[in-house]
Amino acid sequence: MVLDTKLTRMLGIKHPIVQGGMHYVGFAELAAAVSEAGGLGCITALTQKTPELLSAEIRKAQKLTNKPLAVNFTLLPALAPPNYEGYAEAIINSGIRIVETAGRNPEKWIKYFKAKGCIVLHKCTAVKHALTAERHGADVISMDGFECAGHPGESDIGNLVLLAKAVRKLKIPFIASGGIGDGRQLAACLALGAEGVNMGTRFMATVEAPIKQGIKQALVDADETGTTLVMRSVKNTERVFKNPVALEVQAIEAKKPGDIMAIRHLVSGENYRKSFQETGDPNNSVWSAGTVMGLIDDIPTCKQLVEGMVQECEEIIQKRLKSLILPSKL
């Protein structure tokens, strides 16, 4: 059996599973492995220091798979914004036609990529933002619940309510993101109206994820209580792995709420780049991780993970759900 959804048909993929953009994780090796497994792999644009390096990374992935690939294009709050125009041109000139956008004020870029013939998946943490992205022309919304790694927004709404609300309000398809890591959850998200799922943290704990083994093992060893929230006082909440550095950030925020400069040295992306790519130490930087850690107990290949999820989902739909419906006696 194959799960046939609006997402699989729109993107030309076999399974309704997307690997979302992840800073210093979303490289060619992982994206290509997910696409080869039948999902949609995604390269993270801003992990590459220049548009030229992004072009090279896309070419690398294209040599590893001839299946659909996406690029994550995130709009970051920054004093010195990246060269977004250059990155956008690199995406288009490399032949990528699926783009995952994220961040604030995406109208310009959704319209840009749509004008270039791209399918745009936009990440949102609130239905009101999803409706805005829909008006701007997004093709698919990735609804990110409070369980997600990284930035869950400021409303703290979990997926059980968020997805049910999205299906009532949106006219375009949406996928579920945040806290997802197995086939039982995939079945639940489909039942709630999603056309597929987006996963980040779960794909970090795979053989092909290009990060150090110490980070992967930390995800296996931790449970669902192993995350915490930082940067709440500066209205840029991030769910991260609970470690001494994250707790130090919280302590500083308690004393100096709203002062980003007081914590900037601790939340720098360069710190967790070193953890992911050099040391493998999960305890010496602030890095994004989701509550799905409670469901991670192995480090499979992407193919094993994707196919295992789909098989479990099919079994839930065919056996458990069908068994709950009894013939009416009326």
Side-chain angles (χ1 to χ4, degrees), residues 16 143 159-160 163-164 167 174-198 309 313:
M143 292 302 315
N159 266 328
L160 199 58
L163 302 182
V167 78
F174 68 91
I175 60 176
S177 180
I180 299 162
D182 67 18
R184 189 177 298 273
Q185 292 173 299
L186 173 56
C189 292
L190 294 175
L192 282 164
E195 299 293 336
V197 297
N198 175 88
M309 282 184 63
C313 177

Side-chain angles (χ1 to χ4, degrees), residues 6-7 10-11 97-99 101 110-111 113-115 117-123 130 133-142 170-175 195:
K6 292 178 182 177
L7 183 78
M10 181 185 295
L11 303 184
R97 290 299 178 265
I98 306 173
V99 180
T101 56
I110 291 176
K111 290 182 176 179
F113 288 117
K114 289 300 299 176
C118 294
I119 295 170
V120 176
L121 289 71
H122 185 67
K123 300 187 76 170
E134 181 180 69
R135 289 195 299 273
H136 293 331
D139 298 284
V140 180
I141 299 297
S142 178
L170 294 173
K171 296 182 178 67
I172 61 174
F174 68 91
I175 60 176
E195 299 293 336

Side-chain angles (χ1 to χ4, degrees), residues 221-293:
D221 293 341
D223 63 20
E224 64 274 17
T225 67
T227 72
T228 192
L229 301 170
V230 298
M231 297 198 289
R232 298 223 82 171
S233 72
V234 296
K235 305 299 182 185
N236 192 30
T237 299
E238 182 177 5
R239 184 178 298 282
V240 300
F241 186 77
K242 187 188 295 183
N243 63 23
V245 185
L247 297 180
E248 183 180 353
V249 171
Q250 290 177 333
I252 294 172
E253 285 193 86
K255 295 178 181 178
K256 300 179 179 180
D259 185 355
I260 185 63
M261 300 307 295
I263 59 174
R264 186 177 180 182
H265 64 294
L266 295 174
V267 299
S268 166
E270 175 61 14
N271 296 348
Y272 69 83
R273 185 200 65 78
K274 290 180 180 178
S275 295
F276 285 4
Q277 302 298 326
E278 296 178 12
T279 70
D281 187 343
N283 293 312
N284 67 357
S285 66
V286 174
W287 53 279
S288 297
T291 58
V292 71
M293 288 191 301

Side-chain angles (χ1 to χ4, degrees), residues 27-61:
F27 292 98
E29 300 93 328
L30 178 60
V34 174
S35 290
E36 277 293 295
L40 179 68
C42 188
I43 294 167
T44 304
L46 295 186
T47 287
Q48 304 301 320
K49 293 183 178 180
T50 66
E52 292 75 21
L53 288 173
L54 174 59
S55 296
E57 194 70 14
I58 293 171
R59 288 195 299 271
K60 181 178 179 181

Side-chain angles (χ1 to χ4, degrees), residues 1 3 183-184 187 308-323:
M1 184 172 127
L3 298 172
R184 189 177 298 273
M309 282 184 63
V310 171
Q311 181 180 351
E312 183 181 30
C313 177
E314 291 172 354
E315 290 174 354
I316 292 293
I317 293 170
Q318 288 184 316
K319 296 178 182 179
R320 173 165 171 76
L321 296 184
K322 281 187 177 181
S323 71

Side-chain angles (χ1 to χ4, degrees), residues 177-224:
S177 180
I180 299 162
D182 67 18
R184 189 177 298 273
Q185 292 173 299
L186 173 56
C189 292
L190 294 175
L192 282 164
E195 299 293 336
V197 297
N198 175 88
M199 302 193 304
T201 303
R202 186 61 188 95
F203 276 121
M204 290 175 66
T206 57
V207 171
E208 296 92 344
I211 58 177
K212 292 294 185 179
Q213 190 66 23
I215 302 297
K216 299 180 186 182
Q217 193 59 47
L219 295 172
V220 173
D221 293 341
D223 63 20
E224 64 274 17

